[in-house]
Amino acid sequence: MAVWCYLQQEIATTSGTDGGASSLSSVNGAAELQDPPRLQQWLDTFKKKKMVCQLWSNAEKAMALDDLISHCELPEVRHMRDLLEPHFQRDFISLLPKELAMHVLSFLKPKDLLKAAQTCRYWQVLCEDNLLWREKCMEEGIDYMLVFGSSRGSRRHRHFKDYKGLYLRQSGIESRWRSGKIEPAMIMKSHDDHVITCLEFCGQRIVSGSDDNTLKVWSAVSGKCLRTLTGHTGGVWATQMSGSMVISGSTDRTLRIWNTETGVCKHTLHGHTSTVRCMSLFGKKVVSGSRDATMRMWEVDTGECLHVLQGHVAAVRCVQYDGRVVVSGAYDYTVRVWNPDTETCLHVLQGHTNRVYSLQFDGLHIVSGSLDTSIRVWNVKSGTCLHTLVGHQSLTSGLELKDNYLVSGNADSTVKVWDVTTGQCLQTLQGPNKHQSAVTCLQFNKKFVVTSSDDGTVKIWDFHSGTYIRNLVTLPSRGSGGVVWRVRCSNTKMVCAAGSRNGTEETKLMVLDFDVE
């Protein structure tokens, strides 16, 4: 009210006592304004930035307006609203140059762009700009190869233009993974109730390896067994696949290189003196690890053994090769880093107090999982242990490392998400819907984590929040012997290998399709 009193004084000094009273009664709504020029004088005073004797600050002006509005009747308030609304309804996007308008819209999320496109025709043109949607696809890591796979050909990929359609298609696929109706799985019964020990999925081909000494090649589209690869005289326990080539390692101490399109065994690789338990393929070279405590590097085109890496004193259980460095984990409790070209061991990473069963390597970090329940993160250049990740209660049998995120699956039935740069556990995937037995396999991307278990289920979880989404597979014999041994996922399909160890569930492959077409 202090400002209102000042307003009264100002009007009186500017227009005279009678005029001030006339103007004030007009402002209060008590009487009709008799002298409009005097009102104009007051408005001129209100608009002045500087006065000889007085200066109204912005706060004082605001208080004067508050007092003025409080003395208005409802029709006058409505009149002010009608005057003010157009000032807040200006289409500022249309007033901006197109480049600036596009820059402003680039800050919107895709779902908000879709809503903004419904505002008017001009906004629709801007919000459907192909370059704008290309940026949104790049932010989400969406490209033609991800959505459609390599089978559609790279020529169309190079000339692909509809980035909005690409984004919406991928969004539809992700929605089907999350909550879409799951069609009955395509079932492929195989391997005569033996255990499926290995599973590879590349393009439209699935390869399964078993302790029945064979591998089988399947069509992921029709579900038909295209051919059976025979030749090993012992169970198959390790595989790697690239295009139409698959490499297998066996208890018969050999590796075999196959062409999946013809079923021909191109090479049989001799040299190991015990079971070939693990391998890692990079380009045209594959490194195999064996229970004979050695590793061998092979040229896949010729079948020639290029190098032998010796130093472990117990079985080599896991190996990774990135084209430059070989990293191995063994039952002698150690992890070793090798230069394969010189056959020298660069580092012996010591710290685990039990057998090393799992390994991941991204060129900078080595991550090892052990029967001692811990996971260790190492620097590959220095060989130092950066972090010891504790929290699991049993054997960590499954690891996957991408973009500094690690997902670990454990025999304690839990799955954990870690940041390997800080050693922090970001999420533990558990709760009322957690697995009821050991986690057997896992895969993840920036949206989901897919896990399989001895409890006969495959579950999908939200990667960022760690919340359970739903069961993708539930075997009829779950709880009484049904096991999901392996799971492999593409953007639109999931393949899992299932069976049992007591005959309650047939050995089979199951394929789920999440494509929106």
Side-chain angles (χ1 to χ4, degrees):
M1 289 301 295
V3 176
W4 185 253
C5 293
Y6 171 76
L7 180 60
Q8 291 176 310
Q9 295 173 4
E10 181 63 27
I11 295 174
T13 57
T14 304
S15 305
T17 304
D18 293 339
S22 174
S23 297
L24 182 60
S25 64
S26 172
V27 171
N28 285 334
E32 299 247 346
L33 182 65
Q34 300 297 325
D35 196 353
R38 293 177 181 175
L39 175 60
Q40 185 62 46
Q41 290 175 358
W42 179 83
L43 292 174
D44 290 340
T45 301
F46 184 83
K47 292 187 291 184
K48 284 181 180 179
K49 299 295 183 183
K50 293 183 179 180
M51 299 172 59
V52 175
C53 299
Q54 300 286 342
L55 175 65
W56 279 13
S57 67
N58 290 334
E60 289 172 327
K61 288 182 178 182
M63 291 176 65
L65 291 174
D66 288 343
D67 283 342
L68 181 62
I69 294 171
S70 69
H71 287 78
C72 292
E73 301 293 339
L74 184 59
E76 292 149 0
V77 173
R78 287 174 178 164
H79 177 66
M80 283 188 284
R81 181 198 63 191
D82 294 339
L83 292 175
L84 292 172
E85 276 188 344
H87 293 280
F88 294 97
Q89 294 176 346
R90 300 183 69 183
D91 183 359
F92 71 96
I93 289 292
S94 299
L95 296 175
L96 292 173
K98 183 179 178 181
E99 292 77 8
L100 286 178
M102 295 295 295
H103 181 68
V104 172
L105 292 173
S106 70
F107 290 95
L108 294 180
K109 295 180 179 180
K111 64 178 182 180
D112 296 324
L113 276 177
L114 295 174
K115 293 178 181 178
Q118 302 175 35
T119 303
C120 63
R121 185 176 297 276
Y122 183 66
W123 280 44
Q124 181 183 26
V125 171
L126 294 178
C127 292
E128 292 186 351
D129 182 84
N130 201 50
L131 294 179
L132 183 61
W133 282 98
R134 185 178 69 175
E135 291 299 317
K136 298 302 176 185
C137 286
M138 291 175 63
E139 290 171 6
E140 294 293 322
I142 299 172
D143 60 18
Y144 181 87
M145 301 298 282
L146 169 70
V147 177
F148 293 102
S150 60
S151 61
R152 304 293 181 93
S154 59
R155 184 176 180 181
R156 183 180 173 186
H157 180 209
R158 288 196 300 269
H159 301 286
F160 192 77
K161 298 298 182 183
D162 184 13
Y163 284 99
K164 178 186 174 185
L166 192 69
Y167 190 99
L168 294 178
R169 179 176 172 82
Q170 179 60 22
S171 296
I173 292 170
E174 291 175 2
S175 178
R176 290 199 64 177
W177 277 92
R178 184 179 294 274
S179 58
K181 180 181 178 182
I182 301 179
E183 299 296 331
M186 183 165 57
I187 306 296
M188 297 105 84
K189 297 179 181 179
S190 62
H191 295 291
D192 297 326
D193 291 335
H194 283 260
V195 174
I196 296 176
T197 55
C198 310
L199 183 64
E200 303 292 336
F201 179 28
C202 181
Q204 301 300 330
R205 292 288 181 266
I206 303 167
V207 175
S208 58
S210 171
D211 62 356
D212 67 359
N213 306 352
T214 70
L215 297 97
K216 290 182 180 290
V217 182
W218 310 82
S219 166
V221 178
S222 66
K224 293 182 179 180
C225 180
L226 303 178
R227 54 196 55 86
T228 299
L229 309 181
T230 59
H232 280 300
T233 57
V236 177
W237 282 94
T239 54
Q240 291 277 272
M241 186 178 183
S242 177
S244 61
M245 176 185 68
V246 65
I247 307 172
S248 57
S250 169
T251 59
D252 66 8
R253 305 183 297 249
T254 69
L255 288 84
R256 286 179 177 257
I257 302 175
W258 312 82
N259 184 315
T260 59
E261 297 301 319
T262 63
V264 173
C265 178
K266 187 177 178 181
H267 299 292
T268 301
L269 313 182
H270 296 275
H272 283 297
T273 59
S274 188
T275 297
V276 178
R277 194 61 184 83
C278 54
M279 64 177 69
S280 179
L281 173 68
F282 187 92
K284 295 296 184 179
K285 296 177 181 178
V286 63
V287 177
S288 57
S290 169
R291 286 180 179 163
D292 65 12
T294 71
M295 287 162 292
R296 290 175 177 261
M297 177 176 284
W298 313 81
E299 169 63 54
V300 297
D301 285 338
T302 63
E304 179 187 1
C305 181
L306 302 175
H307 304 287
V308 180
L309 307 180
Q310 302 181 77
H312 283 295
V313 295
V316 177
R317 182 61 176 78
C318 42
V319 64
Q320 293 276 287
Y321 174 51
D322 71 344
R324 300 178 301 105
V325 176
V326 173
V327 182
S328 57
Y331 286 175
D332 61 9
Y333 306 178
T334 69
V335 176
R336 288 177 179 253
V337 182
W338 309 81
N339 181 331
D341 295 329
T342 61
E343 300 183 1
T344 57
C345 179
L346 304 177
H347 302 292
V348 179
L349 311 182
Q350 296 177 313
H352 283 299
T353 59
N354 213 320
R355 294 177 173 182
V356 177
Y357 274 85
S358 52
L359 197 65
Q360 287 283 285
F361 174 45
D362 65 0
L364 177 63
H365 301 102
I366 300 168
V367 181
S368 55
S370 168
L371 190 59
D372 65 12
T373 77
S374 74
I375 300 169
R376 288 180 177 259
V377 182
W378 316 81
N379 181 287
V380 67
K381 291 184 178 180
S382 65
T384 57
C385 182
L386 302 176
H387 307 289
T388 300
L389 312 181
V390 294
H392 283 304
Q393 305 300 315
S394 188
L395 167 66
T396 298
S397 55
L399 293 172
E400 190 168 15
L401 175 64
K402 294 177 186 175
D403 301 323
N404 292 329
Y405 290 108
L406 174 73
V407 179
S408 60
N410 196 270
D412 65 7
S413 78
T414 67
V415 178
K416 291 181 180 287
V417 181
W418 313 81
D419 183 337
V420 296
T421 61
T422 65
Q424 179 184 5
C425 180
L426 304 177
Q427 305 289 346
T428 299
L429 312 186
Q430 54 184 5
N433 295 295
K434 78 179 186 72
H435 285 296
Q436 300 302 308
S437 188
V439 176
T440 56
C441 197
L442 60 88
Q443 282 199 272
F444 81 96
N445 58 27
K446 63 174 63 177
K447 298 294 180 67
F448 306 120
V449 180
V450 177
T451 59
S452 63
S453 170
D454 271 348
D455 65 8
T457 66
V458 178
K459 297 177 183 289
I460 184 169
W461 314 75
D462 186 276
F463 173 73
H464 293 287
S465 67
T467 55
Y468 164 83
I469 297 175
R470 60 173 173 168
N471 279 15
L472 297 176
V473 170
T474 303
L475 296 180
S477 64
R478 60 171 300 202
S480 60
V483 177
V484 180
W485 291 306
R486 298 285 184 272
V487 63
R488 292 289 182 269
C489 302
S490 69
N491 186 45
T492 57
K493 284 184 171 64
M494 184 190 76
V495 182
C496 62
S500 68
R501 297 184 178 90
N502 58 9
T504 58
E505 190 82 39
E506 290 182 302
T507 298
K508 56 183 172 287
L509 298 177
M510 306 171 69
V511 180
L512 292 176
D513 194 340
F514 299 92
D515 203 341
V516 295
E517 286 188 344

